[in-house]
């Protein structure tokens, strides 16, 4: 296997990273990809830094058993909390979601006020503030933890006309709208499924999907390092629990077939 045909390892706390995977497959269908979803331990976003870091280290220990050419942290929470630990674990380039979304938001804002919605752990980490102000220290980031959104999306409550999701989004988004943000980062893997509903509640505000921004940054990064595959397209999925549930949910998160088998493993082994 030559260098460019090696795998891109992609991991998330569970199924949410499939929104990143979808964006990667749309952009880079020729790449060989191994996805790991830590479905035994989802959600990460409500847990402590120490616990999230331990889970992430186990995730990467599993993925590095494959011949990798790059690793994608396809989870905002994992990227926010454990990026430095991941980079220290393996010699290949590490891509994430936070930095690409932050750079995109910094590039498009006109009034310098950027909203970020994410899990408790991501907001608590301050990772988005750090990444945005690294681009331009003048920019202001208003973050809002939205802990009800992941369970609502995972329970299928993301459709237009659902009064529960409408009420919850209204409560989370109103303060950001009233604060005058002109750009809103969807800083969680699950939120692209809510993008249309969020856009309706945030007229005139530019919405940035961290999943899409991550895939664009991966494509640019691979090309810049001469690592883009010319052919391939092999995909395999591994989960730490409930492979059948993962397959069922995958259709919702990917909008189609996984294009590869799902295997149950124990990453700690
Ligand atoms: N994947 C997580 C994120 O993007 C959301 C789900 C979780 O809390 O584990 O932050």
């Amino acid at each position: 296997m030559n260098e460019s045909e090696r795998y891109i390892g992609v991991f998330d706390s569970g199924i949410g990273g499939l929104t990143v995977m979808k964006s990667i497959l749309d952009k880079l269908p020729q790449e060989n990809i191994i996805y790991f979803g830590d479905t035994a331990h989802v959600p990460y976003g409500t847990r402590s830094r120490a616990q999230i870091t331990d889970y992430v280290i186990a995730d990467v220990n599993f993925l590095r058993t494959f011949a990798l050419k790059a690793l994608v942290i396809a989870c905002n929470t994992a990227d926010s909390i454990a990026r430095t630990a991941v980079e220290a674990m393996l010699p290949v380039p590490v891509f994430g979601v936070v930095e690409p979304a932050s750079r995109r938001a910094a590039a498009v804002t006109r009034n310098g006020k950027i909203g970020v919605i994410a899990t408790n752990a991501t907001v608590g980490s301050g990772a988005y503030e750090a990444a945005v102000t690294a681009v331009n220290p003048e920019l202001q980031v208003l973050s809002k933890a939205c802990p009800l959104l992941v369970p609502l999306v995972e329970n299928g409550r993301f459709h237009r006309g659902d009064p529960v999701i409408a009420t919850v989004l209204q409560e989370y988004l109103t303060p950001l709208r009233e604060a005058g943000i002109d750009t809103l980062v969807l800083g969680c893997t699950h939120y692209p499924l809510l993008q249309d509903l969020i856009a309706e509640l945030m007229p005139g505000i530019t919405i940035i999907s961290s999943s899409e921004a991550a895939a664009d940054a991966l494509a640019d990064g691979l090309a810049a390092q001469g690592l883009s595959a010319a052919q391939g397209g092999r995909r395999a999925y591994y989960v730490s629990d409930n492979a059948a549930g993962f397959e069922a949910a995958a259709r919702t998160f990917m909008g189609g077939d996984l294009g590869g088998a799902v295997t149950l493993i124990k990453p700690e082994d």
Side-chain angles (χ1 to χ4, degrees):
M1 191 183 260
N2 72 35
E3 182 71 8
S4 66
E5 285 169 13
R6 287 168 176 256
Y7 291 99
I8 301 171
V10 177
F11 76 95
D12 173 53
S13 54
I15 53 178
L18 291 174
T19 61
V20 182
M21 186 70 173
K22 182 189 179 339
S23 295
I24 294 173
L25 296 180
D26 286 349
K27 250 196 126 53
L28 300 168
Q30 74 285 8
E31 295 290 345
N32 296 320
I33 306 182
I34 307 276
Y35 180 99
F36 175 64
D38 191 12
T39 47
H41 298 127
V42 69
Y44 286 3
T46 53
R47 298 183 196 274
S48 68
R49 291 186 74 91
Q51 183 64 80
I52 294 165
T53 304
D54 282 354
Y55 288 153
V56 167
I57 288 171
D59 301 342
V60 177
N61 270 332
F62 169 67
L63 280 174
R64 70 179 176 179
T65 61
F66 296 90
L68 298 184
K69 65 175 181 181
L71 183 76
V72 179
I73 309 176
C75 172
N76 286 263
T77 302
D79 194 19
S80 296
I81 301 289
R83 187 181 178 97
T84 312
V86 172
E87 283 173 340
M89 285 180 75
L90 67 186
V92 299
V94 174
F95 296 89
V97 279
V98 173
E99 207 198 312
S102 299
R103 272 194 269 113
R104 187 164 289 182
V108 302
T109 183
R110 280 164 310 175
N111 73 2
K113 284 189 185 178
I114 296 168
V116 175
I117 53 173
T119 65
N120 285 338
T122 298
V123 169
S125 75
Y128 269 101
E129 286 80 353
V132 167
T133 53
V135 179
N136 178 351
E138 305 288 308
L139 298 176
Q140 203 186 338
V141 177
L142 293 94
S143 297
K144 179 85 185 149
C146 303
L148 293 175
L149 296 185
V150 165
L152 283 172
V153 169
E154 294 216 352
N155 284 285
R157 305 297 296 267
F158 54 84
H159 297 290
R160 179 171 284 105
D162 184 319
V164 177
I165 193 68
T167 305
V168 171
L169 282 176
Q170 188 74 258
E171 182 172 320
Y172 285 145
L173 296 176
T174 301
L176 293 174
R177 196 179 54 238
E178 289 179 352
I181 62 165
D182 74 350
T183 305
L184 177 68
V185 176
L186 308 184
C188 174
T189 50
H190 290 56
Y191 302 173
L193 279 82
L194 298 168
Q195 188 155 346
D196 292 347
L197 296 181
I198 291 171
E200 279 170 24
L201 291 170
M202 304 298 262
I205 293 173
T206 306
I207 313 276
I208 309 277
S209 156
S210 56
S211 301
E212 276 175 30
D216 290 341
L218 172 66
D220 293 348
L222 291 178
Q225 298 186 51
L227 289 172
S228 309
Q231 55 183 22
R234 286 192 298 279
R235 288 151 213 176
Y237 299 82
Y238 294 85
V239 293
S240 50
D241 195 15
N242 194 4
F246 179 86
E247 263 182 280
R251 265 164 241 297
T252 304
F253 280 77
M254 297 252 298
D257 276 350
L258 292 172
V262 182
T263 307
L264 181 66
I265 57 109
K266 285 279 163 246
E268 301 85 350
D269 292 348

